[in-house]
Amino acid sequence: MADAAILRPEPVFTPDSAFFWEGAARGELLIKQCGACLRYWHPPRPMCPACNATRMVPARMSGFGTVYSWAMPIHPFPHGFSAPPIVVLVDLDEGPRIVSNLVGVDPRNVQNGLRVHVEFEPAQGGRSVPVFRPLGAAP
Amino acid sequence: MTRAAIVGIGQTEFSKASGRSELQLAAEAVLAALDDAGLTAADVDGLITFTLDGSDEVGVTRCLGIPDLKYTSRIPQGGAASVASIFHAMSAVMAGVCDVVVVWRAMNERSQFRFGQPIARGNIPAGGGSSFMEWCLPFGAQSPASWEALTAQAYMHRYGATNEDFGLVSVLLRKHAATNPQAWFYGKPITLEDHQASRWIVAPSLRLLDCCQESDGGVAVVIAREDRARDLKQTPVTIHGAVTTLPFNHEIISDYYHGHDLAQLPMAQRVAARLKDLTGMSPPDTQVAMIYDNFTPQILMQLEAYGYCGHGEAKDYIRDGNLELDGSSPLSPNGGHIGEGYIHGMNLITEGVRQARGTAANQVANVKTVFLASGVAGAIIGAG
Ligand SMILES: [Zn+2]
């Protein structure tokens, strides 16, 4: 990917989600954890729905997860990709579910339940996004 | 207690290029609905539309000449606002705030702003009720079909449903549309082979013929106090009950966070339970099912959630003919969004009213009650 033009759309920053993309730029997968009851929540929010604490602390995830479901948008072709991306819901080992991409796998071999690990790909605007590669797949 | 009834329905033609503004579509639909009811602009004291509507209360009052409103409101959550708007109109009437409320939705959704086109980057609208702008776009999930597909594939995996099973819905709704002169696909039925030959929109769950149409058009519905309704032009269609729900962690379409199992729809299960509490009726007790069809898998999932069949059984329930016009629960006899047109749920409500009145193109026999559903909202209506 190093020489290819970076086309992936730049993520939208909000006051409550900026930490996620700032973490991605440093190669860290961060999820907000309640500072009081230690539960993880995604999408992020400024108050813990379990205990209503407002001290929500970005916590680094292990990066391991499991593919819950997948989809390959083909038509109309999505902006910013040179081949149809494999979009996945990944259930992180710590619990939260996030939308991401699966890389390093033939679409015919995608399966629910695939074990994956995070890595990062560049996006427009000098940003990065977390994507996932099956465990054991060549980088 | 004062009850509310649907006393008028109106619509423009459904097309791919209306050739006029969304406000004009709105005004024409509202006027047609008032004419249908035998009311005039001076009778209207409430107006409701969707947060997403491109026309507004000021524009509609200026066009119709409505002298004074006591109540205006805008309903969120995309097309789920359709049946929810009936709930809100009913509530305004039952609370004694309004006598006559008009709900409208008008859109040049094919010629002006196509929902189906991918968006690379959008502003996050206040009150958007969904997180796809933030969490889906950078990953290439940039259209409603791609957001829906992550849920649809989970359903396929959970219950062994196939894209061919989804195709059964498309074939059925195109069959209904084929004999509805108002439908865009009037006279154009399809086969399961046609469905399977249509191109992938999002593999492995959604083909072109699993998606609703993109349409231009306007629809309006008039809701009035029951005592007022009895003196009007049409047989009133009483709202026996209408409910909405917003379960924890639910969001519209990119609805991935409500629980581990996305193959079930907790919001729709709650809608059915609340309607049962309110009316003593469950959706399968009604004679017609007007269920929101943005994408075919949503019909299977909603059938299960509303109690028409058990979890994972919808494919067999459909194959057994239950949704045919002469089946146990005919589905959208107008052809739904897939066959008739896509006016964001509102043309399903007008068809439900026609079925209750006994005036539909594909009239189901002996209709006493009709179920209207748009995911987070549901209603049971019936003539008299
Ligand atoms: Zn907490």
Side-chain angles (χ1 to χ4, degrees), chain A residues 8 17 68-69 72 79 97, chain B residues 134 138 142 150 201 203 260 262:
Chain A
R8 182 189 286 272
S17 70
Y68 175 73
S69 69
M72 196 163 67
H79 297 285
R97 173 174 292 165
Chain B
E134 277 186 274
Q142 299 168 352
L150 287 169
I201 300 300
H260 178 73
L262 300 186

Side-chain angles (χ1 to χ4, degrees), chain B residues 101-259:
Chain B
V101 179
V102 179
V103 175
W104 89 90
R105 175 79 173 110
M107 54 190 197
N108 284 326
E109 194 269 313
R110 180 61 177 78
S111 65
Q112 195 173 329
F113 177 69
R114 298 180 66 178
F115 289 179
Q117 291 300 302
I119 32 178
R121 185 180 172 145
N123 294 319
I124 298 172
S130 201
S131 72
F132 51 76
M133 291 285 184
E134 277 186 274
W135 300 108
C136 295
L137 302 195
F139 302 102
Q142 299 168 352
S143 66
S146 63
W147 306 322
E148 175 70 24
L150 287 169
T151 299
Q153 198 274 330
Y155 179 87
M156 294 168 85
H157 177 68
R158 177 85 167 77
Y159 294 119
T162 64
N163 174 259
E164 201 170 283
D165 294 326
F166 298 160
L168 298 171
V169 173
S170 191
V171 171
L172 177 94
L173 290 174
R174 290 290 292 270
K175 180 178 167 185
H176 292 176
T179 52
N180 168 16
Q182 297 301 316
W184 178 257
F185 286 123
Y186 176 55
K188 292 178 181 162
I190 59 164
T191 64
L192 197 53
E193 290 70 34
D194 294 330
H195 172 271
Q196 287 295 294
S198 69
R199 66 172 178 248
W200 283 117
I201 300 300
V202 188
S205 52
L206 301 176
R207 294 180 184 275
L208 176 66
L209 293 176
D210 291 301
C211 305
C212 66
Q213 298 178 54
E214 296 180 295
S215 304
D216 286 9
V219 172
V221 176
V222 186
I223 290 97
R225 289 169 57 96
E226 194 182 35
D227 51 352
R228 185 82 189 272
R230 278 195 287 271
D231 304 327
L232 299 178
K233 213 158 101 184
Q234 306 289 347
T235 305
V237 174
T238 302
I239 303 168
H240 294 304
V243 301
T244 68
T245 177
L246 180 57
F248 177 67
N249 254 346
H250 167 75
E251 65 177 67
I252 287 297
I253 198 159
S254 47
D255 189 22
Y256 310 136
Y257 312 104
H258 61 71

Side-chain angles (χ1 to χ4, degrees), chain B residues 20-376:
Chain B
R20 51 209 196 275
S21 72
E22 292 181 329
L23 178 57
Q24 184 170 342
L25 295 175
E28 290 177 15
V30 172
L31 187 63
L34 290 172
D35 284 347
D36 181 63
L39 291 165
T40 70
D43 297 307
V44 178
D45 55 8
L47 277 181
I48 298 175
T49 191
F50 296 32
T51 52
L52 290 180
D53 202 87
S55 56
D56 68 22
E57 305 76 14
V58 173
V60 169
T61 54
R62 279 181 177 157
C63 287
L64 273 293
I66 298 169
D68 187 21
L69 291 174
K70 295 171 180 160
Y71 178 86
T72 67
S73 179
R74 287 187 161 240
I75 313 302
Q77 304 229 320
S82 55
V83 179
S85 72
I86 300 300
F87 165 80
H88 284 268
M90 175 194 78
S91 301
V93 165
M94 289 176 69
V97 176
C98 293
D99 291 331
V100 175
V101 179
V102 179
V103 175
W104 89 90
R105 175 79 173 110
M107 54 190 197
N108 284 326
E109 194 269 313
R110 180 61 177 78
S111 65
Q112 195 173 329
F113 177 69
R114 298 180 66 178
F115 289 179
Q117 291 300 302
I119 32 178
R121 185 180 172 145
N123 294 319
I124 298 172
S130 201
S131 72
F132 51 76
M133 291 285 184
E134 277 186 274
W135 300 108
C136 295
L137 302 195
F139 302 102
Q142 299 168 352
S143 66
S146 63
W147 306 322
E148 175 70 24
L150 287 169
T151 299
Q153 198 274 330
Y155 179 87
M156 294 168 85
H157 177 68
R158 177 85 167 77
Y159 294 119
T162 64
N163 174 259
E164 201 170 283
D165 294 326
F166 298 160
L168 298 171
V169 173
S170 191
V171 171
L172 177 94
L173 290 174
R174 290 290 292 270
K175 180 178 167 185
H176 292 176
T179 52
N180 168 16
Q182 297 301 316
W184 178 257
F185 286 123
Y186 176 55
K188 292 178 181 162
I190 59 164
T191 64
L192 197 53
E193 290 70 34
D194 294 330
H195 172 271
Q196 287 295 294
S198 69
R199 66 172 178 248
W200 283 117
I201 300 300
V202 188
S205 52
L206 301 176
R207 294 180 184 275
L208 176 66
L209 293 176
D210 291 301
C211 305
C212 66
Q213 298 178 54
E214 296 180 295
S215 304
D216 286 9
V219 172
V221 176
V222 186
I223 290 97
R225 289 169 57 96
E226 194 182 35
D227 51 352
R228 185 82 189 272
R230 278 195 287 271
D231 304 327
L232 299 178
K233 213 158 101 184
Q234 306 289 347
T235 305
V237 174
T238 302
I239 303 168
H240 294 304
V243 301
T244 68
T245 177
L246 180 57
F248 177 67
N249 254 346
H250 167 75
E251 65 177 67
I252 287 297
I253 198 159
S254 47
D255 189 22
Y256 310 136
Y257 312 104
H258 61 71
H260 178 73
D261 184 2
L262 300 186
Q264 298 192 16
L265 301 177
M267 81 283 197
Q269 292 166 0
R270 284 181 198 201
V271 162
R274 284 185 190 166
L275 279 174
K276 175 83 175 176
D277 286 347
L278 205 57
T279 67
M281 284 180 272
S282 294
D285 299 333
T286 65
Q287 286 77 52
V288 179
M290 301 301 306
I291 300 177
Y292 198 89
D293 55 320
N294 46 355
F295 300 100
T296 53
Q298 274 294 321
I299 291 295
L300 283 80
M301 296 175 70
Q302 287 184 84
L303 285 170
E304 294 168 11
Y306 296 133
Y308 286 91
C309 55
H311 293 297
E313 295 174 2
K315 59 185 192 295
D316 303 314
Y317 182 81
I318 299 168
R319 263 202 186 82
D320 291 344
N322 286 290
L323 304 182
E324 303 281 346
L325 293 177
D326 60 355
S328 63
S329 292
L331 175 74
S332 300
N334 63 339
H337 292 138
I338 285 171
E340 186 184 62
Y342 178 63
I343 312 297
H344 233 173
M346 295 302 292
N347 56 312
L348 305 188
I349 295 172
T350 48
E351 171 68 4
V353 171
R354 284 189 293 264
Q355 289 289 339
R357 289 176 177 175
T359 59
N362 295 321
Q363 183 62 46
V364 172
N366 303 315
V367 175
K368 290 188 178 60
T369 52
V370 175
F371 177 50
L372 309 175
S374 58
V376 300

Side-chain angles (χ1 to χ4, degrees), chain A residues 34 36-39 41 48 50-53:
Chain A
C34 174
C37 76
L38 306 182
R39 287 178 174 86
W41 296 103
C48 172
C51 75
N52 298 141

